[in-house]
Amino acid sequence: FSTIDMNNLSKSIYKGTVAVSTLKTGNFLRDWNLKGRKYFDKDQFPLISFESTEVNQQGDKLSVMGNLTIKDTIKTTIFRFVRKGNQFIGTATLYSSDFGINIKKKREENQVTIKMVLNL
């Protein structure tokens, strides 16, 4: 759930979970592989969660810092949100290897961008 205070966005709370089984990359075989034991391991770690700890507003842009949990590993992550119509669209860049998901051998090659869409 998220509690978005449109009159004072910095007082908003962003908290939620997503089921690993719902992740979609646009490629069925890649999705199936990513959900397996080698990567996200949806059977042992079925959820990804995020909970904000700090929200900063600069005009119509938001910076939301919080704890992202993937595979029982918690890392501080910053999402940058912009408002588009009735949505806040946020992106964050992270390294999957920091969460035990080693797609490539070198850490810098495991950089991914994740997207979060909040409907208002």
Side-chain angles (χ1 to χ4, degrees), residues 16-20 23 40 45-50 68-71:
T17 59
V18 63
V20 170
L23 298 177
F40 283 99
F45 306 102
L47 299 175
I48 296 171
S49 65
F50 179 80
L68 178 65
T69 304
I70 300 173
K71 292 180 73 174

Side-chain angles (χ1 to χ4, degrees), residues 6-102:
M6 295 305 293
N7 296 317
N8 189 352
L9 290 170
S10 64
K11 298 285 185 192
S12 298
I13 298 169
Y14 300 83
K15 180 179 179 179
T17 59
V18 63
V20 170
S21 62
T22 66
L23 298 177
K24 298 204 182 336
T25 66
N27 180 311
F28 172 78
L29 290 176
R30 182 185 305 128
D31 294 348
W32 177 78
N33 197 29
L34 287 173
K35 294 171 191 177
R37 293 181 79 179
K38 184 176 178 184
Y39 299 110
F40 283 99
D41 194 356
K42 73 174 177 67
D43 293 331
Q44 186 171 352
F45 306 102
L47 299 175
I48 296 171
S49 65
F50 179 80
E51 183 170 355
S52 64
T53 56
E54 182 180 330
V55 179
N56 294 301
Q57 180 180 3
Q58 295 109 11
D60 62 345
K61 296 181 180 180
L62 292 177
S63 176
V64 179
M65 179 184 300
N67 296 316
L68 178 65
T69 304
I70 300 173
K71 292 180 73 174
D72 283 346
T73 299
I74 301 168
K75 297 285 183 186
T76 299
T77 305
I78 299 173
F79 281 88
R80 307 231 188 267
F81 284 90
V82 294
R83 186 171 181 175
K84 291 189 179 180
N86 289 331
Q87 294 181 324
F88 275 119
I89 300 172
T91 57
T93 301
L94 55 89
Y95 295 95
S96 62
S97 54
D98 291 350
F99 295 90
I101 302 169
N102 297 299

